[in-house]
Amino acid sequence: YTKRGLAHTIYAKCAKRSISIDFVPGICFGTAEWIDVRHCRKFRNKCEQWYAVPKPTSGSQETRRYAFMICNPKVEHDLLLGNQNLKVVFRLLKSLRNAYGMRCLKSYFITTNFLWEIELQHKNFWYNPIHIILEHVSTGLFFFCILFTYNL
């Protein structure tokens, strides 16, 4: 067991396998009129539960405050894992990030990049060979990280 920031992580090892599970506190709330779901019309009926997840802001320990990021894990799961090779590339990118110790490349960045690509690409795009999807998405992810890092 470890605690880092807000995440509580449980590690389990067995013979040839190991697994880690992150738990992050969140506040569950129902549909709210201020949440814009027009970009996910096909998932509108699944947008009944939203979560506010605390995100620490930067600054010294005395002035640090928490903001909240809203998310809908059910819709994200359906979008990300409901396509052919997208699931494989998504997991591959996260594994590459972990293998190379790229801590600055947060899961949030990878997920957001994929959610935007799902909206931009035709559904048939995700049936391309894995190397084509990986090259396309990793290029977009690279530029996303540069823009975010340098606030361009």
Side-chain angles (χ1 to χ4, degrees), residues 91-107:
R91 290 180 177 161
L92 183 59
L93 273 175
K94 290 180 94 172
S95 295
L96 286 169
R97 175 210 51 197
N98 295 343
Y100 286 99
M102 300 172 70
R103 289 188 179 97
C104 63
L105 186 58
K106 304 292 184 191
S107 290

Side-chain angles (χ1 to χ4, degrees), residues 103-148:
R103 289 188 179 97
C104 63
L105 186 58
K106 304 292 184 191
S107 290
Y108 174 78
F109 296 145
I110 297 172
T111 303
T112 301
N113 189 57
F114 270 88
L115 291 173
W116 278 109
E117 283 297 324
I118 290 167
E119 290 295 319
L120 294 173
Q121 301 300 327
H122 189 274
K123 185 152 180 82
N124 291 338
F125 175 78
W126 305 109
Y127 288 92
N128 279 318
I130 292 171
H131 71 279
I132 291 181
I133 299 171
L134 179 64
E135 180 181 355
H136 176 80
V137 174
S138 60
T139 302
L141 188 59
F142 173 74
F143 287 113
F144 181 82
C145 289
I146 289 174
L147 291 173
F148 185 81

Side-chain angles (χ1 to χ4, degrees), residues 28-39:
C28 180
F29 59 95
T31 304
E33 291 182 20
W34 53 267
I35 297 175
D36 185 5
V37 293
R38 67 183 146 174
H39 296 293

Side-chain angles (χ1 to χ4, degrees), residues 16-36:
K16 298 177 183 177
R17 298 182 187 259
S18 64
I19 187 172
S20 62
I21 303 169
D22 290 339
F23 295 94
V24 178
I27 302 167
C28 180
F29 59 95
T31 304
E33 291 182 20
W34 53 267
I35 297 175
D36 185 5

Side-chain angles (χ1 to χ4, degrees), residues 1-4 8-13 18-22:
Y1 169 84
T2 61
K3 182 180 183 304
R4 184 173 174 194
H8 299 265
T9 305
I10 296 175
Y11 300 94
K13 291 183 181 179
S18 64
I19 187 172
S20 62
I21 303 169
D22 290 339

